[in-house]
Amino acid sequence: MPTYRDEVVVLRTHKLGEADRIVTMLSRQHGKIRAVAKGVRRTGSRFGSRLEPMMVADVQCYVGRSLDIVQQAESAGSYGAEIADDYAAYTAGSAMVETADKVTDDSGSLQQYLLLVGALRSLSRREHHPSLTLDSYLLRCLSIAGWAPSFDVCAVTGAPGPHTVFVAQLGGVVADEVAPPGSPRLDAATLELLGALLEGRWSDAEAATERSRAQASGIVAAYTQFHLERTLRSLPHVERTA
């Protein structure tokens, strides 16, 4: 029976029978993989915690009829275990893997894989506040998927900014003449923070005030859930305080 090996990030798991588990993974080369990890829920399983959400693993699978079967799993990054020790990091990481699961199809994406691994690594190392890391990840994830937001030029007319009205349905900031009534307005500091998160300008992002962070997080959440066309179950649990 054909086998293959790949590096994966575990996105989610489901119980199967008394001892097995279905594992959904985003891989580097084989897209999104759904495979059965046999006996993984038994004490002393050789897979142990290597196939838990947010873990990065080197796996060998063989191709099954409907689901593949995990034969081997070696840890390539124990990010999940390190992230789970901190509630803010854990809730941010949960939102990341849920987003990656929803934004990728079976063919996967190498860019999305690398972005997710990098974001989880950063979370595990406590490089930045988890809320900032999550918002940066979400903006970049959506950009790779083809939904890059505009924070400078008008997303409708292309007129140069600065513009202060943000409309998720229209793709970012828009000029006043095309803005729907009642659309939220953002101050310059929040727009600067959003641009910094999208571009990875971490010194600028970390210098932002609590008010700007809160406003930016609300915009990122609304923009993400609009384009995914569904609610992220993990997002309301994210700890936003710095």
Side-chain angles (χ1 to χ4, degrees):
M1 191 170 288
T3 64
Y4 61 91
R5 195 172 196 94
D6 206 344
E7 188 177 287
V8 302
V9 181
V10 179
L11 303 179
R12 56 188 167 94
T13 65
H14 295 288
K15 294 179 181 179
L16 179 65
E18 294 184 358
D20 304 339
R21 189 172 278 156
I22 297 174
V23 185
T24 301
M25 303 169 280
L26 181 61
S27 73
R28 178 185 282 269
Q29 300 177 24
H30 292 84
K32 193 182 291 184
I33 300 169
R34 295 176 183 86
V36 176
K38 292 185 176 294
V40 73
R41 289 160 53 206
R42 291 196 183 103
T43 302
S45 166
R46 67 184 187 279
F47 297 138
S49 60
R50 301 168 195 167
L51 295 178
E52 293 292 335
M54 293 179 272
M55 299 295 280
V56 180
D58 187 319
V59 300
Q60 180 174 300
C61 303
Y62 70 80
V63 180
R65 288 185 178 181
S66 58
L67 294 171
D68 297 346
I69 307 296
V70 179
Q71 292 179 306
Q72 298 177 15
E74 299 296 334
S75 177
S78 300
Y79 305 137
E82 296 163 0
I83 290 170
D85 289 339
D86 180 81
Y87 179 79
Y90 178 76
T91 54
S94 297
M96 288 178 187
V97 293
E98 185 183 356
T99 301
D101 191 17
K102 287 177 167 50
V103 83
T104 54
D105 55 22
D106 288 346
S107 61
S109 164
L110 177 59
Q111 284 182 292
Q112 293 286 6
Y113 172 82
L114 295 174
L115 176 67
L116 181 58
V117 171
L120 293 174
R121 181 188 300 119
S122 179
L123 268 184
S124 71
R125 295 175 178 175
R126 313 294 194 263
E127 291 178 353
H128 313 288
H129 190 274
S131 180
L132 291 177
T133 304
L134 171 61
D135 288 341
S136 179
Y137 168 78
L138 292 174
L139 291 174
R140 295 185 191 190
C141 175
L142 293 172
S143 296
I144 292 172
W147 300 312
S150 175
F151 297 128
D152 45 20
V153 302
C154 174
V156 175
T157 67
H163 303 292
T164 61
V165 179
F166 186 92
V167 185
Q169 298 89 326
L170 298 179
V173 294
V174 296
D176 287 348
E177 56 267 26
V178 297
S183 300
R185 288 188 179 272
L186 307 180
D187 58 31
T190 301
L191 286 169
E192 175 63 23
L193 172 57
L194 287 165
L197 292 171
L198 179 60
E199 298 166 12
R201 292 185 278 110
W202 288 107
S203 59
D204 292 339
E206 290 174 337
T209 65
E210 189 65 30
R211 180 179 181 279
S212 293
R213 292 189 188 189
Q215 190 173 35
S217 291
I219 291 297
V220 173
Y223 191 75
T224 300
Q225 296 187 117
F226 171 77
H227 284 287
L228 293 182
E229 298 181 342
R230 66 193 78 182
T231 300
L232 291 173
R233 292 179 299 173
S234 53
L235 205 53
H237 302 289
V238 173
E239 186 175 285
R240 293 296 189 179
T241 55

